[in-house]
Amino acid sequence: MQTLFLPLSNLLRNQEGFKRLFTHLKCLHTRSGIWTVNTTSTPWVSRSALVSRRREVPVGQLPAGNMCTSSSVDKTSWLWSVYNETKQHTQDLIPVISKNFVNPDTIFANNQMSLQDIEIYGFDYDYTLAFYSSHLHTLIFNIARDILINEHRYPEGLREYDYIPNFVIRGLHYDVQKALLMKIDAFHYIQLGTVYRGLNPVPEKEVIAMYEGSHVPLEIMSDFYGKSSHGHTMKQFMDIFSLPEMTLLLCVNDYFMKHNIDYEPVHLYKDVKEAIGDVHVRGIMYRAVEADNEKYICYGEQTHAVLRKLSKNGKKMFLITNSPFDFVPFRRVTDKGVLLWDRIHHLEKGQIYKQGNLYEFLRLTGWRGSKVLYFGDHIYSDLADLTLKHGWRTGAIIPELRKEIKIMNTEEYVHTMTWLQALTGLLEQMQVHQDPASQTVIQQWINEREEMRLRTKDIFNAQFGSLFRTYHNPTYFTRRLSRFADIYMASLSCLLNYDLQHTFYPRRTPLQHESPIWPEQTSTGAMNIPFRSHSTTTRPE
């Protein structure tokens, strides 16, 4: 017997919630039969056994006369009764869904990977081994702003601008020629409402007029690694250090617009980029961090615990970073920091080497393929080449993940998202009713859905929303993350929760054409399952 697809089934994560939903649903009457619900107590039966019907007509395609009388008033009342019942059933499910909160210390898998196969662990330094406080972003912003004023002759009035924490998020695109900062999804569509010129949003109609819609053509997007070279006008900011750079771009644009100063956006972008680069290249940032480690560096003890764990288990480790060797807290090249010029035939344990390149590193070590796992925070420069060209396994460090998961675990988010999904399913089914009375009701639902979509965006960031989603679609950032990282996590300390024999399995989420009611797999430990860091088992109990 064929299946009745109900969109609310997408919301259910376990058998209990599934059964509760269909037990509560009232039957929909047709002229020659009744939709029936199978109340079998079978633990997990097939879709056709759970829900059956006597007529082979999809519910969304039933003629209006089959569901209610021809009266507009009755039709409107019927639609609202379905709406109210759906909302009540959704609210009944929230306590069940709320129990399945996600553990922020989980390691999430895009690709199956076993730590048992890993012999060598490699690390980037910044935002991988070393985490920085928000004070560092303020420092970078202030120094770069002053460089613009003192060396590039920008207006003194820019000193009025201070760094604005949490105004921007990582993964945004900047249109160099139009001086616009925006969020783009995995399909190259701009998320309207997230386009900023200066510190103010650009009206949606203006954005659509500039881009002749909301789609960004491939030819103006950044290249494969997010750079705006070779005629590309879009620069993607993937580095955590880019947060003060984006904020400075917005502030300078804001000042010029407020004071009606005519300027060339391309020159502005290049000047800000150069000023930010000088903060790093000249060593200004590193000297400030060295002078006050406690103010700028976080998570030191947890990082050391991870390294001790790997060392105790006989794993080889290495560090590759573009930070100066005297800044990284390991051994210097020599006691006086002098580079040795003898030819290198092999790399020695405990030594530090400067210059060189990845290919030379691979030649000297022979470390190729899936026995190497490398961790970094920059999806392009840290991970892309390693996985695509050399077959290393890769782990992305995404510090923003912990904050976003905590938000997703809140009652407000669970309630809003559950009803948003249910209402979307209701719209999908009821859009077939094209009479004026029905369309008036449906338009009200559309308006409510749009309000909730905006609310879910603002929960994460009032300007740009979540790092990982543009409403329902993945962001361009998420698309690259899923391609270049086998696993990803909030911090390296998440490794402390796993045995080094552990296998990470990616969640099998249904494709659009596959069944929406498979029992959903979850990442190990993600759904409120306690970890056993010293356990020998590779699966949760």
Side-chain angles (χ1 to χ4, degrees):
M1 193 170 292
Q2 297 187 19
T3 306
L4 167 63
F5 285 93
L6 293 175
L8 283 177
S9 61
N10 289 323
L11 301 172
L12 306 180
R13 298 181 178 180
N14 52 46
Q15 174 195 351
E16 178 186 358
F18 186 91
K19 186 175 179 180
R20 288 180 62 188
L21 172 64
F22 284 98
T23 301
H24 281 87
L25 284 177
K26 293 184 178 180
C27 298
L28 295 174
H29 292 265
T30 67
R31 284 181 294 188
S32 57
I34 301 175
W35 294 91
T36 61
V37 176
N38 189 331
T39 57
T40 177
S41 59
T42 304
W44 188 268
V45 293
S46 65
R47 292 183 304 159
S48 57
L50 283 170
V51 185
S52 60
R53 59 184 182 182
R54 298 180 184 177
R55 287 177 57 86
E56 297 181 359
V57 182
V59 63
Q61 298 176 11
L62 288 173
N66 288 349
M67 292 188 172
C68 58
T69 67
S70 59
S71 166
S72 296
V73 175
D74 290 344
K75 188 67 169 291
T76 300
S77 298
W78 176 77
L79 285 171
W80 281 113
S81 69
V82 173
Y83 169 96
N84 290 327
E85 287 189 25
T86 303
K87 192 165 191 175
Q88 183 58 55
H89 300 325
T90 303
Q91 291 174 344
D92 292 340
L93 288 170
I94 288 176
V96 177
I97 298 173
S98 297
K99 294 179 181 178
N100 294 329
F101 65 85
V102 178
N103 191 324
D105 291 320
T106 300
I107 294 178
F108 302 92
N110 291 321
N111 191 22
Q112 183 173 328
M113 187 192 76
S114 176
L115 293 180
Q116 187 173 4
D117 299 329
I118 306 301
E119 301 174 11
I120 304 135
Y121 287 77
F123 308 93
D124 180 35
Y125 183 73
D126 297 319
Y127 289 104
T128 300
L129 288 180
F131 273 72
Y132 300 100
S133 69
S134 59
H135 296 295
L136 186 63
H137 292 162
T138 301
L139 175 72
I140 295 172
F141 178 94
N142 290 341
I143 295 173
R145 178 201 60 200
D146 293 346
I147 290 175
L148 286 178
I149 296 170
N150 298 332
E151 301 181 20
H152 294 267
R153 300 182 181 179
Y154 275 63
E156 279 286 337
L158 287 175
R159 296 193 196 275
E160 300 174 3
Y161 288 85
D162 294 318
Y163 180 65
I164 310 172
N166 303 317
F167 190 89
V168 298
I169 62 173
R170 195 157 47 128
L172 300 177
H173 281 79
Y174 185 75
D175 191 322
V176 176
Q177 295 182 350
K178 294 183 175 67
L180 298 176
L181 188 66
M182 68 192 74
K183 189 163 77 168
I184 296 177
D185 72 11
F187 302 96
H188 291 197
Y189 281 90
I190 300 168
Q191 182 177 1
L192 296 177
T194 69
V195 180
Y196 274 71
R197 181 187 290 119
L199 298 174
N200 297 296
V202 180
E204 294 182 7
K205 289 183 178 179
E206 186 176 341
V207 174
I208 292 172
M210 283 189 290
Y211 291 96
E212 298 181 346
S214 59
H215 184 263
V216 180
L218 180 62
E219 59 266 20
I220 70 170
M221 289 288 287
S222 55
D223 64 17
F224 190 71
Y225 295 101
K227 299 176 181 178
S228 56
S229 56
H230 307 298
H232 301 292
T233 62
M234 286 284 189
K235 155 72 177 179
Q236 188 180 18
F237 291 100
M238 299 293 277
D239 193 346
I240 300 177
F241 280 132
S242 66
L243 297 178
E245 181 177 357
M246 285 186 279
T247 307
L248 184 57
L249 276 169
L250 294 180
C251 289
V252 178
N253 276 304
D254 187 75
Y255 180 87
F256 285 166
M257 288 187 297
K258 283 184 176 179
H259 294 82
N260 297 316
I261 298 175
D262 189 23
Y263 68 101
E264 172 53 57
V266 175
H267 295 162
L268 168 59
Y269 167 74
K270 291 180 177 179
D271 289 344
V272 171
K273 180 180 179 181
E274 182 180 336
I276 291 288
D278 284 343
V279 177
H280 298 272
V281 173
R282 297 180 186 178
I284 304 172
M285 183 194 81
Y286 302 110
R287 288 193 294 273
V289 173
E290 284 182 315
D292 196 346
N293 282 335
E294 292 185 1
K295 180 177 181 180
Y296 294 110
I297 296 184
C298 313
Y299 304 151
E301 293 184 5
Q302 293 175 320
T303 299
H304 292 155
V306 171
L307 300 180
R308 286 195 299 268
K309 179 178 180 178
L310 296 177
S311 178
K312 182 179 179 181
N313 284 271
K315 304 299 181 181
K316 297 177 181 178
M317 292 176 283
F318 66 93
L319 169 73
I320 297 180
T321 179
N322 58 5
S323 295
F325 70 88
D326 56 350
F327 170 72
V328 178
F330 293 92
R331 291 180 61 185
R332 296 169 179 258
V333 175
T334 68
D335 292 340
K336 297 181 179 180
V338 177
L339 287 173
L340 300 178
W341 293 103
D342 53 321
R343 184 172 183 178
I344 304 299
H345 295 280
H346 63 275
L347 301 183
E348 298 179 7
K349 181 178 179 180
Q351 296 302 311
I352 295 176
Y353 300 87
K354 190 175 181 181
Q355 301 177 2
N357 55 63
L358 182 60
Y359 288 95
E360 187 69 5
F361 179 83
L362 295 173
R363 183 186 69 81
L364 292 169
T365 61
W367 292 346
R368 299 179 182 274
S370 57
K371 66 181 180 181
V372 183
L373 172 57
Y374 186 81
F375 294 94
D377 68 289
H378 197 302
I379 296 173
Y380 293 145
S381 62
D382 290 341
L383 308 181
D385 274 349
L386 299 180
T387 184
L388 295 178
K389 298 180 181 180
H390 307 292
W392 287 8
R393 309 311 294 265
T394 52
I397 304 299
I398 314 293
E400 302 94 335
L401 192 62
R402 182 170 278 109
K403 177 183 176 182
E404 293 217 3
I405 289 176
K406 288 181 179 179
I407 291 174
M408 290 189 294
N409 287 338
T410 62
E411 182 178 348
E412 178 187 7
Y413 181 84
V414 171
H415 187 279
T416 302
M417 283 304 303
T418 304
W419 175 231
L420 176 59
Q421 290 292 91
L423 183 58
T424 300
L426 199 60
L427 282 167
E428 183 179 12
Q429 288 193 345
M430 297 306 177
Q431 63 183 324
V432 296
H433 301 287
Q434 296 293 324
D435 58 281
S438 297
Q439 285 298 303
T440 299
V441 174
I442 290 173
Q443 186 58 52
Q444 293 181 57
W445 296 353
I446 292 174
N447 294 341
E448 180 183 358
R449 178 175 181 266
E450 186 60 27
E451 290 176 1
M452 284 194 294
R453 278 155 56 96
L454 292 173
R455 196 183 314 152
T456 58
K457 176 184 81 71
D458 292 346
I459 288 176
F460 294 100
N461 178 280
Q463 292 73 234
F464 300 100
S466 168
L467 171 65
F468 302 96
R469 282 198 181 273
T470 56
Y471 295 136
H472 56 284
N473 282 342
T475 59
Y476 197 87
F477 176 93
T478 302
R479 179 184 181 184
R480 291 305 196 218
L481 174 65
S482 63
R483 178 64 184 89
F484 299 143
D486 292 298
I487 56 176
Y488 65 98
M489 64 209 78
S491 71
L492 201 61
S493 64
C494 296
L495 273 176
L496 295 173
N497 300 314
Y498 294 86
D499 189 283
L500 293 183
Q501 305 297 312
H502 188 90
T503 298
F504 297 100
Y505 297 95
R507 184 184 306 178
R508 183 186 176 99
T509 53
L511 302 174
Q512 294 300 311
H513 66 279
E514 294 178 325
S515 168
I517 55 174
W518 291 345
E520 195 175 47
Q521 294 180 342
T522 59
S523 298
T524 303
M527 310 310 295
N528 194 23
I529 299 175
F531 289 110
R532 296 192 173 186
S533 58
H534 300 292
S535 173
T536 57
T537 182
T538 60
R539 290 183 176 86
E541 296 181 351

